[in-house]
Amino acid sequence: MSAGAATLPLGPLADYLCDQGLAGNEAIQAAPLSGGQSNPTFRVMAGEHAYVVRKKPAGVLAPSAHAIDREYRVMRALQETDVPVPRMRAYCEDASIVGTPFYVMDFLPGRVFMDPALPDSTPAERGALYREMGRVMAALHSVDHVAVGLADYGRTGRYVERQIDRWSRQCRALTVPLDPAMHRLMDWLPAQVPAADETTLVHGDYRIDNLVFHPTEPRVIGVLDWELSTLGDPLADLAYHCMAWNVPPALWRGIGGLDLPALGIPTEAQYLADYRAATGRDAQGHWSFYMAYNLFRMAAILYGIAQRAADGSAASADAEETGRKAGPLALLGWEWAQRHTAR
């Protein structure tokens, strides 16, 4: 067992799974799953059953951060919708079992692509995978959140405005230094928020490495990492997802600057056209604002990771390196802000 898995107390967890009817009396095995800077995540084998256990990290946490209870709630609500999610099994608030609250869901045997350029795929496969990714995002923004029991999952209206305020306050409370571009964005963004104010369910972190694809088919079988989900502006959610087209691979999980036609990956314009055809929503007119906002928001998230690395409470060993990307993302966000102003 690896050192990471040793942080999950197997005896108490085995007793809990047995009490929930999810395991027998056999010994369980656990191994940490890669990915996810925020909440420690483990694959747990209990006989023939494979589960994922996702828990809050230990230590002092920022208010409203690491909301695994919300992750559990939203995935449970989406079980019978067109948005594919794992089967949720149990949520436990008792911190005495594994050290912090946690939830249990089915493990999905499939493919997770960490590089959005999909280097091991053919052009035809890349196109199919990207079209499927866009289809699922459109399905997410088409969910009737009231009908599935999520009417109170977030506040209605002023989503982007509230997000700017939230992440600005969190950044100003950090002790790690912020790039000057981050301060400029915090001053510039509040006055630029578009008047349109539609509310849907939003994922908040929708990207290819948060999706599980079928082992052989270009089909999403599970959308993961719902910690930042809420009710909000679908175009803001879409623009976050589309940051990949505008960020170079050397900076942060992007495909910016790559020869997309040769790769078989749709251009951003093609991708947005498909989304518009599926949902009727048009992002034209405010796209540069939404891109600046999302680069600011991503930088704020990475500054939070940098702070946890400095405090010694980060879940991932590469948290310090990840945190160093916050400043360049903020600078890129400020470039989009200037583009918006120059229209």
Side-chain angles (χ1 to χ4, degrees), residues 115 117 249 254-261 263 265:
D115 186 342
I255 53 175
L258 301 182
D259 187 346
L260 300 185
L263 290 171
I265 296 175

Side-chain angles (χ1 to χ4, degrees), residues 119-328:
D120 297 324
S121 300
T122 66
E125 288 169 338
R126 293 187 190 103
L129 290 166
Y130 265 79
R131 286 191 295 273
E132 169 68 356
M133 182 165 59
R135 182 196 68 78
V136 172
M137 166 149 266
L140 166 63
H141 293 162
S142 301
V143 168
D144 185 337
H145 58 277
V146 176
V148 299
L150 295 174
D152 62 346
Y153 191 63
R155 293 163 61 185
T156 298
R158 299 177 54 246
Y159 168 76
V160 173
E161 181 182 341
R162 288 184 284 106
Q163 285 285 302
I164 293 168
D165 179 67
R166 171 194 174 185
W167 292 109
S168 296
R169 284 186 287 106
Q170 289 200 20
C171 282
R172 291 186 173 109
L174 301 176
T175 59
V176 295
L178 304 181
D179 189 275
M182 195 66 175
H183 290 286
R184 289 195 289 268
L185 283 168
M186 287 190 284
D187 292 337
W188 180 85
L189 285 167
Q192 307 297 325
V193 179
D197 204 17
E198 185 183 5
T199 297
T200 68
L201 180 63
V202 296
H203 183 276
D205 197 14
Y206 192 87
R207 57 181 196 243
I208 198 165
D209 56 304
N210 280 336
L211 306 178
V212 180
F213 285 84
H214 185 276
T216 59
E217 302 171 11
R219 176 166 58 87
V220 175
I221 61 174
V223 182
L224 305 178
D225 287 356
W226 292 82
E227 182 193 346
L228 298 175
S229 63
T230 187
L231 302 183
D233 183 340
L235 293 181
D237 206 32
L238 175 66
Y240 173 87
H241 174 52
C242 288
M243 281 195 303
W245 276 261
N246 300 289
V247 175
L251 177 54
W252 178 257
R253 297 172 178 168
I255 53 175
L258 301 182
D259 187 346
L260 300 185
L263 290 171
I265 296 175
T267 64
E268 183 183 65
Q270 291 169 331
Y271 202 77
L272 293 177
D274 288 345
Y275 178 87
R276 182 170 61 250
T279 67
R281 299 186 184 97
D282 192 345
Q284 294 299 316
H286 299 289
W287 195 243
S288 53
F289 165 82
Y290 279 121
M291 200 56 61
Y293 154 71
N294 274 293
L295 286 159
F296 154 78
R297 178 175 171 272
M298 190 70 241
I301 293 170
L302 297 194
Y303 275 123
I305 292 172
Q307 183 71 61
R308 292 198 295 277
D311 295 342
S313 62
S316 175
D318 63 350
E320 185 175 349
E321 178 185 351
T322 299
R324 283 197 291 267
K325 298 180 179 182

